[in-house]
Amino acid sequence: MQFHWIVLDGIVLLALLVWVYRRRALKGVTYARHFSRTVAYEGDTIEMVERIANRKLLPVPWLRLESLMPRALVFGQQAGLDIRSGERFQNHQSLFSLRPYRQITRRHRVLCAKRGWYRLQSATMTAGDPLGLATVVRRFPLELELLVYPRGVPLRELPLPSHSWLGDIAVRRWIAEDPFLVAGVREYRSGDPLRAVNWNATARTGTLQVHKRDYTADHRLMICLNLEVTETMWNVVTDPDRIEQGIRYAASALEYAIGLGLAAGFLCNGWVAGQEKRPVRAEPETGSLQAARLLETMAKLQLELSANMAWLLEQEAEAGAQDADYLIVTCHTDEKLRKAADRLKRQGNGVEWMLIPPSPSPASAPEPGRAGA
């Protein structure tokens, strides 16, 4: 008879244990994570820091944390972390055991393998009693963002012709500088110094006017990135690796120009994540803020067409673009594209072509023993 009471007491205690953990396993459990940096470049290694705390007397014998991460963020191997990768995402599972009123901090080294705008919006936590009879699931909303800029390449590695003017921009900008020679006035543009303001012309016209010097200190470079791999491509990019290299070339030209104090802008027939699906156009401006804005645009760029590049160049000509240099980063130079570029030239603009080389493929690699044949 005593044995039956022992069994009954055991069942009651077990039911009580299940009831308590079902109601309180995740009560008082908090979770937070952040990146050591919110902005990085391709190839950088940063840290993702996780903090999980149990702020109650009841211990949590086991707790499983799951979250979906972009595959382009490469995590190192770590005890208690299981990673299962798919084509675009990877599922992370971590196991914890939390004693009463304890906090665990884990640091993950993360390689930013690809440019992009990464948003981690939630994590799912599952916990239960020591026997696994009761489980509780809770979703933690998160607002975590990481911006990965495209990494530029050295100027000498850009596919430019030997007669290219890009490497001579600094000379062309300063060779005729004469701060005492005034060629007229023009409207104020962002980045113009206050000392250049022509107050008489400003009072006469009612809009802020500055002296226009007889040299190219207001040199403007428009970087045009064409996402069309071929002239017949009409929607999603068919060779992403090749276009990614083109984005790196564009980022390199941008940083080079801004570093020289030039005004640089950006024109692209893709579209930016988080914005309306339309072509990208940013007016040429100077300064580090402009560089950051355009690098962010390149990081968020989607590999899908929103317009034809030849049409965009025609729009530039229609708007009366003059005295600017257009750097066209493209995989091809079909007739329509060249005609649009020639029209810009006739209006007094400079045009430079930067051809994106084909992506290397195993089929095109030389056979062993036949290199240089």
Side-chain angles (χ1 to χ4, degrees):
M1 193 67 171
Q2 188 176 3
F3 174 74
H4 291 86
W5 282 110
I6 293 174
V7 172
L8 183 61
D9 289 344
I11 292 173
V12 171
L13 287 174
L14 189 61
L16 180 62
L17 181 70
V18 170
W19 181 82
V20 168
Y21 271 93
R22 186 167 290 161
R23 289 177 59 88
R24 300 186 61 85
L26 290 179
K27 188 177 180 63
V29 175
T30 61
Y31 175 71
R33 67 183 173 197
H34 70 271
F35 289 113
S36 57
R37 286 186 285 161
T38 56
V39 176
Y41 280 86
E42 275 183 302
D44 284 357
T45 298
I46 62 175
E47 278 192 338
M48 188 183 80
V49 182
E50 294 182 298
R51 288 190 176 90
I52 182 168
N54 181 20
R55 306 184 186 280
K56 64 179 185 297
L57 184 62
L58 182 70
V60 181
W62 66 270
L63 185 149
R64 183 173 66 246
L65 183 69
E66 296 180 82
S67 55
L68 204 61
M69 305 274 190
R71 191 176 177 182
L73 301 180
V74 182
F75 285 71
Q77 296 295 323
Q78 191 169 350
L81 176 64
D82 181 32
I83 302 176
R84 300 178 183 179
S85 294
E87 185 176 344
R88 294 181 56 194
F89 295 95
Q90 52 189 329
N91 186 46
H92 285 218
Q93 290 188 2
S94 300
L95 288 174
F96 300 90
S97 178
L98 294 171
R99 289 185 284 176
Y101 300 106
R102 289 299 179 94
Q103 175 176 286
I104 294 175
T105 300
R106 298 184 69 179
R107 298 179 180 275
H108 305 269
R109 289 179 62 82
V110 184
L111 172 66
C112 303
K114 187 179 179 183
R115 61 124 198 140
W117 181 33
Y118 303 108
R119 292 176 291 175
L120 311 182
Q121 298 177 318
S122 67
T124 302
M125 194 176 287
T126 306
D129 63 88
L131 301 178
L133 297 176
T135 57
V136 185
V137 180
R138 180 180 171 189
R139 182 177 176 272
F140 285 81
L142 301 168
E143 291 296 332
L144 192 59
E145 293 188 2
L146 175 65
L147 202 60
V148 180
Y149 291 163
R151 180 173 292 281
V153 299
L155 185 66
R156 64 181 180 276
E157 295 180 14
L158 295 178
L160 290 164
S162 57
H163 62 275
S164 169
W165 46 254
L166 187 60
D168 298 328
I169 278 181
V171 176
R172 298 173 69 222
R173 181 187 181 209
W174 300 113
I175 192 169
E177 180 181 6
D178 186 350
F180 302 103
L181 183 60
V182 178
V185 294
R186 60 169 174 79
E187 287 191 3
Y188 174 88
R189 287 200 292 259
S190 176
D192 286 335
L194 188 61
R195 64 178 180 273
V197 175
N198 185 318
W199 297 109
N200 291 333
T202 297
R204 188 170 59 252
T205 61
T207 59
L208 201 57
Q209 303 287 312
V210 297
H211 295 292
K212 184 174 182 180
R213 306 295 180 183
D214 195 18
Y215 57 84
T216 56
D218 58 349
H219 182 91
R220 295 177 298 127
L221 174 66
M222 181 65 83
I223 300 166
C224 309
L225 176 63
N226 183 13
L227 298 193
E228 302 163 11
V229 178
T230 65
E231 58 269 28
T232 57
M233 200 192 87
W234 60 276
N235 192 7
V236 178
V237 169
T238 54
D239 190 346
D241 291 340
R242 192 175 181 185
I243 296 301
E244 289 292 344
Q245 187 66 5
I247 295 173
R248 296 184 192 103
Y249 291 162
S252 304
L254 166 69
E255 292 184 311
Y256 177 71
I258 292 290
L260 291 174
L262 308 179
F266 185 55
L267 182 69
C268 181
N269 55 346
W271 57 281
V272 177
Q275 298 182 16
E276 185 180 344
K277 188 177 177 180
R278 61 184 180 186
V280 181
R281 191 186 189 282
E283 278 288 337
E285 292 183 20
T286 58
S288 57
L289 288 179
Q290 172 75 345
R293 282 193 293 266
L294 296 190
L295 285 172
E296 178 177 343
T297 297
M298 293 178 187
K300 294 181 177 181
L301 200 61
Q302 301 298 292
L303 300 188
E304 184 180 1
L305 296 185
S306 61
N308 179 270
M309 178 53 73
W311 179 79
L312 290 181
L313 295 181
E314 287 285 351
Q315 294 300 302
E316 291 290 302
E318 289 287 345
Q322 288 182 333
D323 300 324
D325 284 323
Y326 283 80
L327 176 65
I328 305 173
V329 184
T330 182
C331 294
H332 71 92
T333 56
D334 70 320
E335 185 179 357
K336 289 183 179 179
L337 203 57
R338 285 199 171 274
K339 282 184 177 180
D342 288 342
R343 184 177 177 187
L344 285 170
K345 278 185 180 180
R346 290 193 298 270
Q347 292 180 190
N349 301 287
V351 174
E352 183 81 83
W353 298 90
M354 185 185 291
L355 296 179
I356 309 169
S359 302
S361 63
S364 62
E367 296 179 15
R370 293 180 58 84

mmCIF file of all heavy atoms in Angstrom, residues 257-283:
data_model
loop_
_atom_site.group_PDB
_atom_site.id
_atom_site.type_symbol
_atom_site.label_atom_id
_atom_site.label_comp_id
_atom_site.label_asym_id
_atom_site.label_seq_id
_atom_site.Cartn_x
_atom_site.Cartn_y
_atom_site.Cartn_z
ATOM 1 N N ALA A 257 37.877 59.375 -56.266
ATOM 2 C CA ALA A 257 37.467 60.742 -56.603
ATOM 3 C C ALA A 257 37.202 61.567 -55.349
ATOM 4 O O ALA A 257 37.668 62.709 -55.233
ATOM 5 C CB ALA A 257 36.228 60.700 -57.492
ATOM 6 N N ILE A 258 36.460 61.003 -54.401
ATOM 7 C CA ILE A 258 36.144 61.734 -53.176
ATOM 8 C C ILE A 258 37.427 62.036 -52.400
ATOM 9 O O ILE A 258 37.584 63.104 -51.809
ATOM 10 C CB ILE A 258 35.163 60.929 -52.300
ATOM 11 C CG1 ILE A 258 33.785 60.840 -52.981
ATOM 12 C CG2 ILE A 258 35.033 61.548 -50.913
ATOM 13 C CD1 ILE A 258 33.026 62.121 -53.044
ATOM 14 N N GLY A 259 38.366 61.089 -52.420
ATOM 15 C CA GLY A 259 39.631 61.304 -51.738
ATOM 16 C C GLY A 259 40.422 62.467 -52.296
ATOM 17 O O GLY A 259 41.234 63.076 -51.593
ATOM 18 N N LEU A 260 40.204 62.802 -53.575
ATOM 19 C CA LEU A 260 40.873 63.940 -54.200
ATOM 20 C C LEU A 260 40.089 65.241 -54.031
ATOM 21 O O LEU A 260 40.505 66.288 -54.517
ATOM 22 C CB LEU A 260 41.070 63.675 -55.701
ATOM 23 C CG LEU A 260 42.083 62.583 -56.061
ATOM 24 C CD1 LEU A 260 42.057 62.325 -57.549
ATOM 25 C CD2 LEU A 260 43.479 62.978 -55.602
ATOM 26 N N GLY A 261 38.955 65.147 -53.331
ATOM 27 C CA GLY A 261 38.152 66.341 -53.126
ATOM 28 C C GLY A 261 37.232 66.666 -54.281
ATOM 29 O O GLY A 261 36.712 67.779 -54.376
ATOM 30 N N LEU A 262 37.011 65.694 -55.184
ATOM 31 C CA LEU A 262 36.148 65.930 -56.343
ATOM 32 C C LEU A 262 34.691 65.652 -55.998
ATOM 33 O O LEU A 262 34.381 64.918 -55.062
ATOM 34 C CB LEU A 262 36.573 65.030 -57.501
ATOM 35 C CG LEU A 262 38.044 65.071 -57.899
ATOM 36 C CD1 LEU A 262 38.310 64.109 -59.023
ATOM 37 C CD2 LEU A 262 38.433 66.478 -58.306
ATOM 38 N N ALA A 263 33.804 66.211 -56.784
ATOM 39 C CA ALA A 263 32.377 65.922 -56.653
ATOM 40 C C ALA A 263 32.068 64.659 -57.442
ATOM 41 O O ALA A 263 32.356 64.569 -58.627
ATOM 42 C CB ALA A 263 31.548 67.093 -57.174
ATOM 43 N N ALA A 264 31.514 63.660 -56.786
ATOM 44 C CA ALA A 264 31.203 62.384 -57.435
ATOM 45 C C ALA A 264 29.733 62.052 -57.241
ATOM 46 O O ALA A 264 29.167 62.272 -56.171
ATOM 47 C CB ALA A 264 32.076 61.266 -56.867
ATOM 48 N N GLY A 265 29.116 61.534 -58.305
ATOM 49 C CA GLY A 265 27.729 61.105 -58.249
ATOM 50 C C GLY A 265 27.605 59.664 -58.719
ATOM 51 O O GLY A 265 28.590 59.035 -59.097
ATOM 52 N N PHE A 266 26.379 59.151 -58.722
ATOM 53 C CA PHE A 266 26.174 57.733 -59.045
ATOM 54 C C PHE A 266 24.888 57.573 -59.844
ATOM 55 O O PHE A 266 23.838 58.125 -59.485
ATOM 56 C CB PHE A 266 26.107 56.917 -57.758
ATOM 57 C CG PHE A 266 26.019 55.423 -57.969
ATOM 58 C CD1 PHE A 266 26.968 54.751 -58.730
ATOM 59 C CD2 PHE A 266 24.997 54.682 -57.385
ATOM 60 C CE1 PHE A 266 26.898 53.378 -58.917
ATOM 61 C CE2 PHE A 266 24.920 53.312 -57.552
ATOM 62 C CZ PHE A 266 25.876 52.654 -58.333
ATOM 63 N N LEU A 267 24.976 56.822 -60.946
ATOM 64 C CA LEU A 267 23.833 56.507 -61.796
ATOM 65 C C LEU A 267 23.815 55.008 -62.028
ATOM 66 O O LEU A 267 24.848 54.426 -62.386
ATOM 67 C CB LEU A 267 23.952 57.250 -63.131
ATOM 68 C CG LEU A 267 22.806 57.087 -64.134
ATOM 69 C CD1 LEU A 267 21.542 57.784 -63.621
ATOM 70 C CD2 LEU A 267 23.205 57.647 -65.491
ATOM 71 N N CYS A 268 22.680 54.369 -61.800
ATOM 72 C CA CYS A 268 22.610 52.910 -61.954
ATOM 73 C C CYS A 268 21.200 52.509 -62.362
ATOM 74 O O CYS A 268 20.211 53.118 -61.930
ATOM 75 C CB CYS A 268 23.000 52.224 -60.642
ATOM 76 S SG CYS A 268 22.986 50.413 -60.723
ATOM 77 N N ASN A 269 21.110 51.467 -63.188
ATOM 78 C CA ASN A 269 19.807 50.979 -63.627
ATOM 79 C C ASN A 269 19.299 49.808 -62.804
ATOM 80 O O ASN A 269 18.428 49.057 -63.231
ATOM 81 C CB ASN A 269 19.849 50.599 -65.115
ATOM 82 C CG ASN A 269 20.954 49.605 -65.438
ATOM 83 O OD1 ASN A 269 21.858 49.371 -64.638
ATOM 84 N ND2 ASN A 269 20.906 49.029 -66.615
ATOM 85 N N GLY A 270 19.835 49.670 -61.585
ATOM 86 C CA GLY A 270 19.251 48.740 -60.621
ATOM 87 C C GLY A 270 18.291 49.503 -59.715
ATOM 88 O O GLY A 270 17.769 50.555 -60.089
ATOM 89 N N TRP A 271 18.052 48.989 -58.504
ATOM 90 C CA TRP A 271 17.233 49.701 -57.533
ATOM 91 C C TRP A 271 17.721 49.355 -56.133
ATOM 92 O O TRP A 271 18.461 48.391 -55.936
ATOM 93 C CB TRP A 271 15.739 49.402 -57.692
ATOM 94 C CG TRP A 271 15.356 47.956 -57.611
ATOM 95 C CD1 TRP A 271 15.484 47.013 -58.593
ATOM 96 C CD2 TRP A 271 14.771 47.281 -56.493
ATOM 97 N NE1 TRP A 271 15.023 45.788 -58.161
ATOM 98 C CE2 TRP A 271 14.574 45.933 -56.872
ATOM 99 C CE3 TRP A 271 14.395 47.679 -55.216
ATOM 100 C CZ2 TRP A 271 14.025 44.983 -56.011
ATOM 101 C CZ3 TRP A 271 13.840 46.744 -54.360
ATOM 102 C CH2 TRP A 271 13.649 45.418 -54.766
ATOM 103 N N VAL A 272 17.324 50.164 -55.161
ATOM 104 C CA VAL A 272 17.855 50.073 -53.804
ATOM 105 C C VAL A 272 16.833 49.419 -52.881
ATOM 106 O O VAL A 272 15.654 49.810 -52.866
ATOM 107 C CB VAL A 272 18.225 51.472 -53.286
ATOM 108 C CG1 VAL A 272 18.707 51.410 -51.837
ATOM 109 C CG2 VAL A 272 19.311 52.089 -54.166
ATOM 110 N N ALA A 273 17.279 48.438 -52.109
ATOM 111 C CA ALA A 273 16.401 47.771 -51.142
ATOM 112 C C ALA A 273 15.859 48.779 -50.141
ATOM 113 O O ALA A 273 16.565 49.675 -49.685
ATOM 114 C CB ALA A 273 17.177 46.677 -50.410
ATOM 115 N N GLY A 274 14.563 48.630 -49.803
ATOM 116 C CA GLY A 274 13.923 49.535 -48.857
ATOM 117 C C GLY A 274 13.381 50.792 -49.482
ATOM 118 O O GLY A 274 12.821 51.640 -48.782
ATOM 119 N N GLN A 275 13.559 50.940 -50.802
ATOM 120 C CA GLN A 275 13.061 52.121 -51.516
ATOM 121 C C GLN A 275 12.187 51.674 -52.687
ATOM 122 O O GLN A 275 12.083 50.485 -52.994
ATOM 123 C CB GLN A 275 14.219 52.979 -52.018
ATOM 124 C CG GLN A 275 15.114 53.533 -50.915
ATOM 125 C CD GLN A 275 16.223 54.413 -51.468
ATOM 126 O OE1 GLN A 275 16.185 54.858 -52.618
ATOM 127 N NE2 GLN A 275 17.227 54.679 -50.635
ATOM 128 N N GLU A 276 11.576 52.659 -53.333
ATOM 129 C CA GLU A 276 10.755 52.377 -54.508
ATOM 130 C C GLU A 276 11.625 51.789 -55.615
ATOM 131 O O GLU A 276 12.799 52.151 -55.759
ATOM 132 C CB GLU A 276 10.108 53.685 -54.983
ATOM 133 C CG GLU A 276 9.140 53.520 -56.132
ATOM 134 C CD GLU A 276 8.545 54.841 -56.561
ATOM 135 O OE1 GLU A 276 8.645 55.820 -55.789
ATOM 136 O OE2 GLU A 276 7.994 54.907 -57.684
ATOM 137 N N LYS A 277 11.045 50.891 -56.391
ATOM 138 C CA LYS A 277 11.799 50.233 -57.466
ATOM 139 C C LYS A 277 11.942 51.181 -58.654
ATOM 140 O O LYS A 277 11.113 51.222 -59.551
ATOM 141 C CB LYS A 277 11.091 48.937 -57.894
ATOM 142 C CG LYS A 277 11.888 48.097 -58.868
ATOM 143 C CD LYS A 277 11.177 46.802 -59.191
ATOM 144 C CE LYS A 277 11.943 45.995 -60.228
ATOM 145 N NZ LYS A 277 11.264 44.730 -60.563
ATOM 146 N N ARG A 278 13.036 51.941 -58.637
ATOM 147 C CA ARG A 278 13.301 52.898 -59.711
ATOM 148 C C ARG A 278 14.813 53.074 -59.856
ATOM 149 O O ARG A 278 15.567 52.727 -58.942
ATOM 150 C CB ARG A 278 12.646 54.235 -59.413
ATOM 151 C CG ARG A 278 13.137 54.895 -58.144
ATOM 152 C CD ARG A 278 12.388 56.166 -57.866
ATOM 153 N NE ARG A 278 12.844 56.806 -56.643
ATOM 154 C CZ ARG A 278 12.285 57.870 -56.095
ATOM 155 N NH1 ARG A 278 11.219 58.406 -56.677
ATOM 156 N NH2 ARG A 278 12.763 58.396 -54.988
ATOM 157 N N PRO A 279 15.280 53.605 -60.984
ATOM 158 C CA PRO A 279 16.728 53.779 -61.177
ATOM 159 C C PRO A 279 17.346 54.660 -60.091
ATOM 160 O O PRO A 279 16.680 55.501 -59.490
ATOM 161 C CB PRO A 279 16.826 54.443 -62.553
ATOM 162 C CG PRO A 279 15.557 54.104 -63.242
ATOM 163 C CD PRO A 279 14.512 54.021 -62.176
ATOM 164 N N VAL A 280 18.634 54.455 -59.884
ATOM 165 C CA VAL A 280 19.360 55.193 -58.855
ATOM 166 C C VAL A 280 20.085 56.365 -59.507
ATOM 167 O O VAL A 280 20.806 56.186 -60.497
ATOM 168 C CB VAL A 280 20.382 54.283 -58.147
ATOM 169 C CG1 VAL A 280 21.125 55.049 -57.071
ATOM 170 C CG2 VAL A 280 19.700 53.048 -57.572
ATOM 171 N N ARG A 281 19.878 57.558 -58.961
ATOM 172 C CA ARG A 281 20.648 58.710 -59.431
ATOM 173 C C ARG A 281 20.948 59.623 -58.256
ATOM 174 O O ARG A 281 20.043 60.086 -57.566
ATOM 175 C CB ARG A 281 19.904 59.516 -60.497
ATOM 176 C CG ARG A 281 20.814 60.556 -61.166
ATOM 177 C CD ARG A 281 20.096 61.475 -62.124
ATOM 178 N NE ARG A 281 21.040 62.280 -62.874
ATOM 179 C CZ ARG A 281 21.668 63.367 -62.379
ATOM 180 N NH1 ARG A 281 21.433 63.743 -61.121
ATOM 181 N NH2 ARG A 281 22.531 64.040 -63.130
ATOM 182 N N ALA A 282 22.231 59.868 -58.018
ATOM 183 C CA ALA A 282 22.678 60.772 -56.962
ATOM 184 C C ALA A 282 23.534 61.846 -57.593
ATOM 185 O O ALA A 282 24.494 61.549 -58.308
ATOM 186 C CB ALA A 282 23.469 60.014 -55.897
ATOM 187 N N GLU A 283 23.182 63.102 -57.355
ATOM 188 C CA GLU A 283 23.927 64.237 -57.890
ATOM 189 C C GLU A 283 25.367 64.233 -57.378
ATOM 190 O O GLU A 283 25.624 63.847 -56.234
ATOM 191 C CB GLU A 283 23.264 65.543 -57.481
ATOM 192 C CG GLU A 283 22.098 65.950 -58.363
ATOM 193 C CD GLU A 283 22.548 66.423 -59.742
ATOM 194 O OE1 GLU A 283 23.711 66.848 -59.879
ATOM 195 O OE2 GLU A 283 21.728 66.350 -60.676
#
